[in-house]
Structures are given as structure tokens and as C-alpha cells.
């Protein structure tokens, strides 16, 4: 890859600009952050990129102050807290906006800093996976992404994952190949290592088979109400579970079972397919389109807070989580 400068338009040997550039910016102070982030954004404006900043308000204010009013006015600032409700929400929303608004204006140049504080271990793991998936979802698109990590406050395991999920590192010395970069499929396999914890004994259980989906949906509505899921979240939950059950009936062994329970502020549904084995590490993470990616699982992941899958000789397990509060 070559270009006119550290953050100029990335091009391949044929001059095409549909080459994803995904960098991690490790910084130890606000001053160090601005030394790299501000030139990156200014270079985007000079190149005519669609420049987008996805950070929290205090960081946005610091960037605006350094960029100046005229340059800052040409950049779209988004509040990271609003985009960080869930990793799949952020991934899908960013892709939707890029396709509808940003790519039509040229190359997308994104500066982002996820909100890590207050995350559960599961949420933290899925945000790490999100960084790896960016390399898959935005591959072959006119996109530059710089993800910022505060080394002074973030735990070591988050910084370690950042070095493994970004093909390049950025900083005062310029981009450099990330020596510890791990292929997304391998990283996602590590995220899915080990079995899921078993459902609790109090979980409500239901089997389903061909012709049984209406009864299954009625059961899900009843359980959602009993366990305190708000009405405006119940239909998305039922639709997500129904999609998974439909896939098992259509493409699996024609029958399956599920369990539903509430835990730590979430409604959880565990669906078991005793026959089908899934080989796709990115099932439901890639947007449906010309490549024939699974539209049903893409929708399921968008309808839920987090979806976990495990698959092997024993069949496939899909665990869907929806926030109650």
C-alpha cells in the first residue's frame, strides 16, 4: 500500500481506493491523542473524504478547539455513547450510514473511540470481536478507520486485543504494521472457545417442530411478559427467536428446543439445534447482499443486544440476549 503521506488516500498497485485502512491509535495523554488525530482529520478534509468523528462530547470539544471552527464545521461529529448501546448495533449502524450517506460522498475517514467503562466481561469480549469484524465487514470498501485507545486508563487485555484486531498501528511515529495482528476468523474462534454456561434450573423450556411456530411465539410472548420485558422490546425479541427456530425447522433437523430465563437485567433465550453444525465464523455478522450472506442471522443480531453461538458434533446452540431495563 502506498500514498502521499501517513494519512493520505490509501491506494493499491492499480490506484484503486477501495482498500480498507484500519488503525489503532494508542495514546497516553490528551496531548498525544491530538498530535495524531488532528492531522488525520485535516488530511481527510484536504482529500475530500467524508470525515466522521465518533467520540464522547469532551473529546469532541478538544478536537473542535484544535481543528478550528471552519474545519470542524465540515466534519460530522457523533456521540459515541449513543452508538455504543451494543457492538452489533454499532457495526450495523455504521455500515448503514456508510452505504447511504458517507460512501456516496467519497472515501469514509472515521475516527472512533468506543466507550469501554461499565461493560460486563461478555460485553467487553463482544466489543473486542467488533474490532476484528470491522476488517471483514468493511473489506474492499473506500474506508479509513482509526480507533483510539487510552493506554493510561484501559486494562491491559483491551489494549492487547486492540493490537491483535488492527492491521496497522498509528501514533507519533506514523503507521506501522501491527506485529501481533490476528486474522479475524482466528480471533472470533478464540472468542467462542469453550461452552456456554448452562441455563439455570428455573428456565422455562419448550420444544418446537414443523407446524409449531405459532404456539412457540405465544409461549415467548407469555414468558417475556412474565419476566418483565417491556412491550416495546417484546416483539423484536419474539421475531429474533422465531427466525432462529424457523431456520432450524427449514435447514436443520426440523425440530429443536429452547429455554427462557431472566438474569442480570437481561431476558435470555437459548435455542438448541441437535443436528446442524455451523462452519461460518461470521454468520450474521456480514451484511446481506450480492455475496449471499445470511440475512436472517444479520437481522437476529440486530434485534438483540448480544447473540452467542456454539456449534460442534452435538449440534448448534444460539443464545440471544435482550436488555430488560
Amino acid at each position: 500500500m502506498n500514498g502521499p503521506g501517513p494519512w493520505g488516500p490509501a491506494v493499491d498497485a492499480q490506484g484503486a481506493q477501495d482498500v480498507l485502512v484500519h488503525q489503532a491509535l494508542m495514546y497516553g495523554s490528551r496531548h498525544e491523542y491530538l498530535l495524531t488525530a488532528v492531522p488525520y482529520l485535516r488530511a481527510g478534509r484536504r482529500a475530500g473524504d467524508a470525515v466522521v468523528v465518533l467520540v464522547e462530547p469532551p473529546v469532541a470539544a478538544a478536537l473542535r478547539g484544535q481543528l478550528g471552527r471552519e474545519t470542524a464545521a465540515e466534519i460530522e461529529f457523533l456521540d459515541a455513547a449513543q452508538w455504543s448501546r451494543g457492538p452489533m448495533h454499532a457495526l450495523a449502524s455504521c455500515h448503514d450510514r456508510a452505504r447511504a450517506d458517507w460512501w456516496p460522498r467519497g472515501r469514509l475517514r472515521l475516527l472512533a473511540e468506543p466507550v469501554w467503562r461499565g461493560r460486563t466481561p461478555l460485553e467487553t469480549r463482544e466489543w473486542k470481536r467488533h474490532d476484528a469484524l470491522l476488517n471483514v465487514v468493511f473489506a474492499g470498501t473506500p474506508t479509513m478507520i482509526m480507533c483510539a485507545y487510552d493506554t493510561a486508563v484501559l486494562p491491559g487485555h483491551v489494549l492487547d486485543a486492540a493490537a491483535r484486531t488492527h492491521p496497522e498501528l498509528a501514533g507519533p511515529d506514523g503507521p506501522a504494521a501491527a506485529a501481533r495482528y490476528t486474522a479475524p476468523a482466528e480471533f472470533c474462534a478464540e472468542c467462542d472457545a469453550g461452552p456456554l454456561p448452562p441455563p439455570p434450573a428455573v428456565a422455562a423450556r419448550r420444544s418446537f417442530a414443523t407446524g409449531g411456530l405459532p404456539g412457540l411465539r405465544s409461549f415467548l410472548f407469555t414468558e417475556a411478559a412474565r419476566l418483565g420485558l417491556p412491550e416495546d422490546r417484546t416483539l423484536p425479541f419474539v421475531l429474533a427467536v422465531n427466525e432462529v427456530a424457523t431456520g432450524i425447522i427449514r435447514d436443520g433437523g426440523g425440530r429443536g428446543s429452547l429455554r427462557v430465563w431472566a438474569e442480570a437485567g437481561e431476558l435470555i433465550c437459548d435455542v438448541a439445534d441437535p443436528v446442524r453444525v455451523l462452519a461460518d465464523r461470521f454468520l450474521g455478522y456480514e451484511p446481506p447482499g450480492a455475496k449471499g450472506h445470511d440475512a436472517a442471522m444479520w437481522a437476529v443480531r440486530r434485534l438483540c443486544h448480544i447473540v452467542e453461538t456454539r456449534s460442534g458434533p452435538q449440534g448448534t446452540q444460539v443464545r440471544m440476549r435482550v436488555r430488560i431495563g
Side-chain angles (χ1 to χ4, degrees):
M1 185 177 298
N2 52 65
W7 299 290
V11 297
D12 61 19
Q14 289 73 43
Q17 292 194 18
D18 287 356
V19 179
L20 171 66
V21 178
H22 186 202
Q23 301 175 325
L25 167 59
M26 307 290 193
Y27 69 94
S29 67
R30 181 62 57 83
H31 175 70
E32 188 176 325
Y33 170 82
L34 294 172
L35 281 177
T36 301
V38 171
Y40 170 78
L41 298 175
R42 284 178 173 159
R45 290 308 310 141
R46 290 195 301 269
D49 297 342
V51 184
V52 181
V53 175
L54 183 57
V55 298
E56 292 190 275
V59 181
L63 287 168
R64 286 190 174 100
Q66 291 292 312
L67 290 165
R69 182 178 301 178
E70 184 175 344
T71 301
E74 298 175 332
I75 295 173
E76 183 175 358
F77 285 85
L78 301 171
D79 187 346
Q82 297 299 317
W83 281 63
S84 298
R85 294 196 298 271
M88 190 61 197
H89 171 266
L91 184 71
S93 296
C94 188
H95 185 270
D96 287 350
R97 283 293 310 274
R99 185 177 54 188
D101 303 328
W102 299 329
W103 289 330
R105 293 191 275 132
R107 186 179 183 88
L108 166 63
R109 183 176 297 237
L110 175 65
L111 173 66
E113 186 164 12
V115 179
W116 292 95
R117 64 182 179 278
R119 302 295 186 196
T120 66
L122 173 59
E123 289 172 328
T124 299
R125 187 195 72 191
E126 291 305 307
W127 276 105
K128 293 175 182 177
R129 188 201 303 265
H130 168 272
D131 277 337
L133 290 169
L134 287 172
N135 299 301
V136 177
V137 173
F138 288 88
T141 68
T143 304
M144 295 185 73
I145 304 173
M146 182 180 288
C147 303
Y149 296 84
D150 188 345
T151 60
V153 299
L154 291 175
H157 61 87
V158 171
L159 300 175
D160 177 74
R164 299 184 60 210
T165 55
H166 293 77
E168 295 182 2
L169 302 180
D173 297 327
R180 301 190 57 213
Y181 177 66
T182 303
E186 181 180 345
F187 190 88
C188 289
E190 293 178 18
C191 292
D192 294 333
L196 296 173
V202 297
R205 190 179 189 280
R206 175 102 180 187
S207 298
F208 58 89
T210 303
L213 288 179
L216 178 64
R217 290 191 292 270
S218 178
F219 166 80
L220 292 170
F221 275 110
T222 299
E223 286 303 301
R226 182 178 72 84
L227 295 170
L229 188 66
E231 288 186 11
D232 62 335
R233 300 183 189 181
T234 297
L235 182 57
F237 164 72
V238 173
L239 289 175
V241 178
N242 185 75
E243 282 290 346
V244 173
T246 299
I248 291 173
I249 292 174
R250 183 185 63 236
D251 304 321
R255 59 183 177 84
S257 63
L258 60 78
R259 296 188 180 190
V260 181
W261 71 99
E263 180 180 280
E266 292 183 318
L267 182 64
I268 305 173
C269 183
D270 202 74
V271 184
D273 179 347
V275 175
R276 187 169 46 163
V277 178
L278 303 177
D280 186 358
R281 287 288 178 193
F282 307 128
L283 181 66
Y285 287 117
E286 297 180 90
K291 295 182 180 179
H293 298 308
D294 192 290
M297 279 305 296
W298 171 261
V300 168
R301 292 193 187 276
R302 297 195 70 171
L303 290 168
C304 299
H305 174 47
I306 289 176
V307 177
E308 302 171 271
T309 61
R310 297 291 188 272
S311 194
Q314 76 287 351
T316 294
Q317 182 181 10
V318 181
R319 180 166 292 182
M320 290 158 277
R321 297 172 176 267
V322 178
R323 285 174 169 162
I324 294 176

